[in-house]
Amino acid sequence: MNNYILPYTLAQLQRITHLFQKEIILSKQNKKTSLSYFSYPLPHTHTCSEPFQSMIVGGSVFEKAIIKKTGKQITILNLTKSHVPLFTNKEVFLRFIHSHIELSVLYIAINFTYPSQPVIINNIIDGRLSSGTKGHAFIGLIGKNVGEELSDYVRKKSGKHILFTLANDTICLLLAGMKNISTIIAGGVVGTGMNFGFFDGKHLINLESGNFSAFPQTETGKQVDKQSNNPGLQLFEKEVSGKYLFKHFNLISKQKNIPLSLSSTSNLHDLALDNNDLPSHIAQSLFERSASLAACQIAGIYHFLNQKQLEFIMEGTVFWTGWNFKSMVEKYLILLGIPQEAVQFTKIEHSNILGAAKLVTGI
């Protein structure tokens, strides 16, 4: 790696992996760690012969579609994509979702990519917002049941009774990848944000692993955290995810008097492709350092679940299209002692929408 980007040593990465696995174990025992261990039941199958709506509310991306289920076949209709505004407060969020609702449906399933704790109300999975992240503050909504808040808002504004069900993006990812309830699988998102979770054979587990903090922050990571709107939180995410990676570059370029400032991690990827000057090498090193950290969480989950082979359903532009990211994760998994081909990465088309839909249709 470039001298301006200090890599984690193998010994450090091994220790991070060990501490991550240890925190999963402690969190499962309801002991306080930087991780969560939010346990979701498999969704109840709702009788829904009519089409319903499915949404993705991401850190930057918004998608919506009409879903129709015929037998075991789930069909996506009218899929549209756009971007979310900055959710500074509850009203901004509720107004935005309301503006995209099909008022003729009875159910709306939301893939909600923010830290939330599962709440079961009348066999409906809802989510209590734990904190803001990815730059969104959600003032007034933290600690509230998001689905209930949306239902109340729609009823007051439109007089319609619509049931909202929602789960974290990692849970929806796992649901999209589940073919049956007998296979243990894992899933992760490395995109605008980052998170991992798994299905342990009984429950769907959301770790909120972007908040993991038992690791040495980088110097630029400390500055990125200090300048963020949630200092002290999501420390691992601030070292790995697309929301923050380019900010590390900007801090380094300023320190080294490099006359270049980036506005996105997509720009960082383009810069890494150049492969012919110092800024390019810095960009490549940032992607590699991010991949090495992501590999630690993947290895920790692999050891925790104690499977000879484990499939990870993956989502996120950094993981799938970031400069050499997937191949570097695979390289670091081998360095961390994971047998080659013991971990398989799978991408499912429209996984975010399909996973959310299964909150209504069941597995």
Side-chain angles (χ1 to χ4, degrees), residues 109-165:
I110 300 180
N111 180 333
F112 189 66
T113 72
Y114 301 89
S116 60
Q117 185 172 354
V119 179
I120 313 302
I121 304 171
N122 297 324
N123 289 324
I124 295 285
I125 298 176
D126 199 347
R128 183 174 297 134
L129 184 61
S130 303
S131 66
T133 185
K134 308 182 183 78
H136 303 271
F138 287 107
I139 295 170
L141 191 60
I142 294 171
K144 303 289 181 66
N145 296 339
V146 177
E148 278 192 323
E149 293 288 331
L150 283 166
S151 291
D152 290 345
Y153 188 85
V154 171
R155 186 168 60 252
K156 290 174 184 176
K157 291 291 183 180
S158 305
K160 298 289 184 179
H161 294 270
I162 297 175
L163 291 174
F164 286 81
T165 178

Side-chain angles (χ1 to χ4, degrees), residues 37 44 98 185 245 280 321:
Y37 198 90
H44 180 80
H98 182 259
I185 63 170
L245 267 185
S280 173
T321 64

Side-chain angles (χ1 to χ4, degrees), residues 55-350:
M55 296 180 177
I56 302 165
V57 184
S60 56
V61 173
F62 176 77
E63 298 184 21
K64 64 178 180 177
I66 297 298
I67 305 295
K68 185 174 183 179
K69 186 181 182 185
T70 306
K72 293 185 177 181
Q73 181 67 38
I74 297 175
T75 304
I76 299 173
L77 306 172
N78 303 327
L79 176 64
T80 60
K81 301 181 181 182
S82 58
H83 290 88
V84 299
L86 196 63
F87 295 130
T88 52
N89 57 49
K90 172 181 170 180
E91 178 64 25
V92 172
F93 172 73
L94 296 178
R95 191 189 316 125
F96 175 80
I97 298 299
H98 182 259
S99 70
H100 289 278
I101 286 172
E102 294 288 342
L103 292 173
S104 61
V105 302
L106 297 177
Y107 291 97
I108 295 179
I110 300 180
N111 180 333
F112 189 66
T113 72
Y114 301 89
S116 60
Q117 185 172 354
V119 179
I120 313 302
I121 304 171
N122 297 324
N123 289 324
I124 295 285
I125 298 176
D126 199 347
R128 183 174 297 134
L129 184 61
S130 303
S131 66
T133 185
K134 308 182 183 78
H136 303 271
F138 287 107
I139 295 170
L141 191 60
I142 294 171
K144 303 289 181 66
N145 296 339
V146 177
E148 278 192 323
E149 293 288 331
L150 283 166
S151 291
D152 290 345
Y153 188 85
V154 171
R155 186 168 60 252
K156 290 174 184 176
K157 291 291 183 180
S158 305
K160 298 289 184 179
H161 294 270
I162 297 175
L163 291 174
F164 286 81
T165 178
L166 70 143
N168 175 270
D169 52 342
T170 304
I171 297 300
C172 290
L173 193 59
L174 292 167
L175 288 171
M178 287 184 67
K179 302 176 181 67
N180 54 63
I181 60 173
S182 61
T183 303
I184 292 174
I185 63 170
V189 179
V190 186
T192 303
M194 68 128 333
N195 189 20
F196 282 91
F198 51 84
F199 175 63
D200 64 4
K202 292 183 179 179
H203 300 96
L204 299 155
I205 306 300
N206 169 25
L207 296 173
E208 290 299 344
S209 66
N211 199 50
F212 180 60
S213 62
F215 74 102
Q217 288 176 270
T218 64
E219 290 305 311
T220 51
K222 292 174 184 177
Q223 294 180 65
V224 167
D225 176 52
K226 186 177 180 180
Q227 295 169 8
S228 71
N229 69 347
N230 58 345
L233 298 175
Q234 301 298 117
L235 296 183
F236 205 85
E237 179 177 85
K238 288 168 183 171
E239 301 282 359
V240 174
S241 77
K243 177 73 178 179
Y244 302 101
L245 267 185
F246 75 96
K247 296 183 179 182
H248 290 257
F249 177 89
N250 289 342
L251 287 167
I252 294 166
S253 66
K254 185 175 181 180
Q255 291 167 4
K256 303 302 176 182
N257 295 315
I258 298 171
L260 179 61
S261 180
L262 306 181
S263 60
S264 71
T265 294
S266 176
N267 295 155
L268 188 70
H269 167 78
D270 294 339
L271 185 62
L273 289 175
D274 287 345
N275 198 33
N276 60 3
D277 56 13
L278 177 59
S280 173
H281 294 154
I282 292 173
Q284 292 171 1
S285 298
L286 284 169
F287 276 111
E288 183 167 359
R289 190 169 70 185
S290 171
S292 72
L293 289 173
C296 292
Q297 293 203 356
I298 293 166
I301 291 170
Y302 175 83
H303 289 306
F304 175 79
L305 292 175
N306 195 28
Q307 301 290 298
K308 287 185 178 180
Q309 289 193 312
L310 183 61
E311 181 181 20
F312 275 76
I313 313 299
M314 294 298 297
E315 187 58 73
T317 53
V318 172
F319 184 86
W320 286 111
T321 64
W323 182 82
N324 286 356
F325 199 89
K326 176 176 174 288
S327 63
M328 289 189 294
V329 167
E330 292 167 338
K331 179 186 80 172
Y332 278 97
L333 285 174
I334 293 172
L335 290 173
L336 289 167
I338 306 301
Q340 193 168 7
E341 299 182 1
V343 169
Q344 174 189 343
F345 297 115
T346 301
K347 185 175 185 178
I348 297 175
E349 188 177 13
H350 302 311

